[in-house]
Amino acid sequence: MVNTIFNMTLTTEQPLSITLPVAEYTRANRFENSPVMTRGLDSEGKKQETCYIPATTFRGMLRRNVVVPLMEERATNGNHYTLDEAYRDLIGQDAASEQQPDEIDLMALKEMRAKHPVVDLFGLGLGVQSRLKVSHFLPAHNILPEAFTTARKDLGDADDGAILDLVRDEERTKYLKRANANSKRSAAESLLDRLTKQKKKDGSSEDLDAQIAATESKVEEYREAMDGMTNSSRTILTHYAMPAGVQWTGRMIVTNSTDKDIEALCEALDRFSNYPMIGAQHARGCGEISGVADIETDRKLVKKISFGGFAPAKIDDMT
């Protein structure tokens, strides 16, 4: 059996923000569930933690960049994908894929692999195992996500309020009323939060309960006065991201590999290279990565590839 290994190093050119689902019966971690894992123990046996780039994030990017060109080509020829085909190739799911291993028809499985190269490489549900194995990508030294904050301003906060001179008179008056109600709402919500904490600490009392009820009424009154805008226009936004300028190593392994497998993955990395963004918060400066890979088949270096920079990938054939 021939195996091909992509020994890879990714570089976060900008901070990288990824949020994972919260596992059932658990709580989000202190980084809003950014990917963080235990990596070793210190001298006292305490867990050491690091963030990482999840295998699923990178693998999902590859699958999309393999499948989307196929979908675009078929759409150009008037033969659009069906929903079932899109789920099968992009998501790796269909009704038959949920069968248990002892229910799988081996002859049908062989035919499926031969007929659908994407399924053959990336797998399908429980029934068709992936030949592409992707590791997590880890930094050389443990590092944790950082908090990034941004501020969403209101109309009157910019240009010393000159923007309001460009708004219709009746709308300017409407804005000022809403801004006033917003300030009062914010103060009332802060007071309500303090009173609620006091109740949890000291217990209920007639006077305290009356203050809470009156404050709740005020909060609702000011929210209604905001004319349907229930969120403040002045808001501090926070997200967590892995630092920029860090290298992350990992690998991909293709079992029983073929030249077509290597070609498909290199083409996917080339397509990704033209828009090398993963994760979230792209509008706030996050997501850009670059990477290099040494590709070995049976322990022999066959290709080198570098990608990123919003430019085509550079692929060198070493054979």
Side-chain angles (χ1 to χ4, degrees), residues 237-271:
L237 305 171
T238 302
H239 63 270
Y240 287 86
M242 306 173 209
V246 177
Q247 293 188 328
W248 313 74
T249 58
R251 61 174 54 93
M252 304 191 302
I253 303 172
V254 185
T255 58
N256 197 22
S257 63
T258 67
D259 290 342
K260 287 186 176 181
D261 295 332
I262 299 174
E263 181 181 356
L265 292 173
C266 285
E267 287 179 353
L269 289 172
D270 180 47
R271 180 183 173 94

Side-chain angles (χ1 to χ4, degrees), residues 5 12 53 63 73 77 98 114 118 152 157 166 205 220 226-227 233 256 275 287 300 309:
I5 300 175
T12 42
I53 300 176
R63 188 164 192 157
E73 182 180 1
N77 296 327
E98 303 306 317
V118 172
R152 184 177 65 195
D157 297 334
L166 307 177
S205 71
E220 187 60 32
M226 289 175 65
D227 198 25
S233 296
N256 197 22
Y275 191 79
K300 294 180 180 179

Side-chain angles (χ1 to χ4, degrees), residues 165-176:
D165 293 335
L166 307 177
V167 177
R168 295 177 181 178
D169 290 344
E170 64 272 18
E171 294 296 318
R172 188 184 310 116
T173 301
K174 182 179 179 181
Y175 161 79
L176 293 172

Side-chain angles (χ1 to χ4, degrees), residues 117-144:
V118 172
V119 171
D120 181 37
L121 180 58
F122 287 93
L124 182 66
L126 301 174
V128 184
Q129 291 188 358
S130 172
R131 291 190 295 109
L132 174 64
K133 326 296 182 183
V134 182
S135 75
H136 297 309
F137 291 84
L138 302 173
H141 304 284
N142 291 348
I143 193 168
L144 292 172

Side-chain angles (χ1 to χ4, degrees), residues 60-71:
M61 175 277 294
L62 285 173
R63 188 164 192 157
R64 287 191 302 276
N65 280 289
V66 167
V67 175
V68 170
L70 302 176
M71 297 180 71

Side-chain angles (χ1 to χ4, degrees), residues 91-109:
I91 309 300
Q93 178 185 10
D94 67 3
S97 71
E98 303 306 317
Q99 290 179 327
Q100 296 301 317
D102 58 354
E103 301 173 333
I104 295 171
D105 184 331
L106 295 181
M107 286 300 297
L109 175 59

